[in-house]
Amino acid sequence: MSSTPTEERPRLRDRSLGSLIGSLPDLVSRLIRGEIQHAKQEIAAKLKAAGVGAGLLVGAAILAIIFLQIMLAAAIIALSLVLPAWAAALIVGGVVLIIVIVLALVGVKALKTGVPPVPTDTVENVKSDIRAIKGEGEYDNAGR
């Protein structure tokens, strides 16, 4: 059975310096295990949100492809009223190719900013813990 940080602090204050130093490896070990668990939870939450977003984007992309095919056919038909059909198809195809290239470049840039999913909160907590162990920082009321 583990105790909460507020229950443990008075107990630690009543102990001798020797027993506190003796319990230091256990306390550090529990701190590290807690930070690892927090990192796992943070990464899982970020990946779950990314998975839901990716699924919705795939559904939207499928419908967008169908819509785009319909609109491209309409554009080719409309343009073929003033040009030969083959010329209308080439013009519409060229415009679509330019759009594809621009979207691909923007997508690659956006993808690079989101990868890899790093547990930023946990990294900051570990840095704070290290500063506290070194005596460079103060603990607030939440124990961080």
Side-chain angles (χ1 to χ4, degrees):
M1 179 186 288
S2 68
S3 58
T4 63
T6 56
E7 293 173 352
E8 193 166 318
R9 281 192 194 146
R11 255 190 13 201
L12 291 176
R13 286 186 188 144
D14 295 339
R15 294 172 57 188
S16 70
L17 180 61
S19 66
L20 286 174
I21 292 173
S23 65
L24 189 59
D26 179 55
L27 293 173
V28 170
S29 173
R30 285 194 294 169
L31 176 66
I32 291 171
R33 282 193 303 269
E35 293 296 356
I36 290 171
Q37 183 64 27
H38 184 259
K40 288 179 184 178
Q41 291 171 349
E42 186 178 355
I43 289 172
K46 286 184 177 186
L47 289 176
K48 181 180 177 183
V52 169
L56 291 172
L57 285 175
V58 166
I62 291 170
L63 291 175
I65 289 170
I66 294 168
F67 174 75
L68 184 61
Q69 290 172 344
I70 294 167
M71 296 309 292
L72 290 174
I76 292 170
I77 292 169
L79 199 53
S80 70
L81 296 174
V82 292
L83 294 173
W86 64 268
L90 282 178
I91 292 170
V92 171
V95 171
V96 169
L97 180 61
I98 291 170
I99 293 170
V100 165
I101 291 170
V102 170
L103 290 176
L105 292 174
V106 171
V108 166
K109 183 178 178 182
L111 187 61
K112 286 181 180 179
T113 62
V115 174
V118 178
T120 53
D121 292 345
T122 303
V123 170
E124 289 303 315
N125 286 346
V126 169
K127 287 179 182 178
S128 173
D129 294 340
I130 290 171
R131 285 192 302 270
I133 289 171
K134 289 181 178 179
E136 297 173 0
E138 293 183 24
Y139 273 63
D140 61 15
N141 292 334
R144 291 252 170 228

